[in-house]
Amino acid sequence: MQTAYGAGAPLPVAFAAGDEGAWTIRSMEIRRGDPLAPAIRLDVTEGDGARGAARGSWTLRGVTSNMRYTTRGEATSMTSKQAGLGRPQAHFAALIPIRKSPAWWAMPQDERRAIYEERSRHTSIGMEYLPAIARRLHHSRDLGEPFDFLTWFEYAPEDEPQFEHLLARLRAREEWEYVDREIDIRLARAGPI
Ligand code: HEM
């Protein structure tokens, strides 16, 4: 049965790595925890197609969801600044699957928010890099997946140094002490640039 995925409705997304796909894998850095098998291409499927059988050397699945830690003020600021996915100049992308530790998940929501924003400034720091970096967050934890989040970013090649700067800042904060598996996969749109 075809499902309608309206604006704001949870959108299933599958990331399948192997020999084919619209994205070429430029690099894969194992930052923490177990690796993923190497591959040369990545295929991204949204909607009903994302529920299909696993393909290639590995397939990671996630779903877009409602916000957990964002206040009205932050949401309004982000909406006024952020760019959407699929911009023609955004030839580069990053897929960064992340798992957080049992200690993180043992905390109630208010304590997690305090670490995430009041102490680590995740949203405030991230907003400095909009609209150059476009983003979409996929949740995987409740799907029984190996990672809790599949984070996806798109940007123009000349903005990659900015993206490195953003990552360095986020990874230096308290929130990242709770990251126990992280793989940084960099991509380029396959085909003529
Ligand atoms: C481009 C600038 C960025 C902005 C504006 C941004 C903003 C946000 C926001 C608003 C949320 C919370 C959504 C909610 O309320 O549930 C979030 C969650 C998250 N972001 Fe970012 N982010 C950015 C970059 C990054 C980067 C570079 C990473 C690293 C790989 C990252 C990893 C995550 C993760 C793992 C979560 C889920 C946190 C959790 O629920 O525990 N973000 N981000």
Side-chain angles (χ1 to χ4, degrees):
M1 192 183 75
Q2 273 296 114
T3 316
Y5 297 104
L11 175 72
V13 183
F15 298 89
D19 294 337
E20 42 192 61
W23 297 90
T24 300
I25 298 180
R26 295 186 286 128
S27 64
M28 196 188 300
E29 185 196 356
I30 318 302
R31 294 202 47 96
R32 219 171 273 182
D34 291 339
L36 284 170
I40 55 170
R41 291 288 187 107
L42 184 83
D43 188 41
V44 183
T45 311
E46 298 178 351
D48 287 337
R51 300 186 197 278
R55 288 172 293 125
S57 52
W58 46 261
T59 300
L60 298 174
R61 295 171 205 282
V63 64
T64 62
S65 187
N66 54 281
M67 294 179 288
R68 267 73 163 168
Y69 304 118
T70 309
T71 63
R72 166 55 63 202
E74 289 161 354
T76 305
S77 308
M78 273 198 296
T79 307
S80 68
K81 264 193 103 179
Q82 70 198 2
L85 300 184
R87 290 169 297 170
Q89 74 274 25
H91 291 299
F92 275 12
L95 170 66
I96 308 184
I98 286 178
R99 189 181 68 195
K100 285 184 168 172
S101 65
W104 174 264
W105 293 110
M107 282 185 278
Q109 180 88 356
D110 57 340
E111 290 177 12
R112 281 184 271 130
R113 154 86 199 183
I115 294 170
Y116 165 90
E117 185 60 24
E118 276 71 37
R119 307 220 287 272
S120 301
R121 314 303 299 166
H122 183 128
T123 301
S124 319
I125 291 172
M127 264 195 284
E128 293 176 34
Y129 298 83
L130 304 179
I133 314 295
R135 55 178 280 276
R136 189 164 72 190
L137 177 65
H138 311 84
H139 290 255
S140 300
R141 178 174 160 82
D142 293 349
L143 305 179
E145 284 279 309
F147 294 91
D148 294 333
F149 307 99
L150 305 176
T151 65
W152 176 262
F153 307 92
E154 290 180 7
Y155 48 89
E158 58 268 28
D159 290 327
E160 193 152 66
Q162 275 205 65
F163 186 63
E164 301 298 354
H165 190 247
L166 163 63
L167 278 170
R169 289 175 73 190
L170 292 178
R171 285 172 176 153
R173 312 300 291 225
E174 184 182 350
E175 183 192 3
W176 243 257
E177 292 170 17
Y178 295 90
V179 172
D180 70 5
R181 192 175 178 199
E182 179 179 6
I183 302 184
D184 188 332
I185 304 164
R186 300 299 174 90
L187 308 134
R189 276 186 211 281
I193 292 192

